[in-house]
Amino acid sequence: MKSTLATLLLLASFATASSAQNTDEQILRLEQAQLEATVKGDSAALSEFMAEDYFEVGPSGETMSYGQALDTYKSGVFASAKIESAKIRS
């Protein structure tokens, strides 16, 4: 009985770790897709990542609304973007 319980607990811990890893990988894929859409200036794809009440605060404190951000990204302002490191916390 104890070995069965231990086996079940071990399997549950593997399933949880695997699920978390899959979630982390999915988040990184979505982030990469957003960066690619940003560099391409693909406002249709970007609108899928942003809610209509989206706003962005830039490094100097200026704010952009959803529409302003889409217009900015559509203009091709970003020549490149990449994820250098990522740590996903849950």
Side-chain angles (χ1 to χ4, degrees), residues 14-81:
F14 284 135
T16 301
S18 176
S19 176
Q21 182 178 3
N22 289 338
T23 301
D24 291 356
E25 290 170 1
Q26 185 178 19
I27 290 169
L28 289 173
R29 279 194 304 272
L30 288 169
E31 184 67 24
Q32 185 62 43
Q34 180 195 16
L35 287 176
E36 289 172 9
T38 298
V39 171
K40 292 177 184 175
D42 186 348
S43 60
L46 284 169
S47 68
E48 295 294 318
F49 291 103
M50 298 165 28
E52 288 187 24
D53 62 350
Y54 172 90
F55 73 95
E56 183 173 319
V57 180
S60 62
E62 74 279 0
T63 60
M64 284 194 295
S65 69
Y66 171 84
Q68 291 168 320
L70 283 179
D71 288 344
T72 298
Y73 297 140
K74 188 169 34 175
S75 73
V77 69
F78 290 98
S80 66

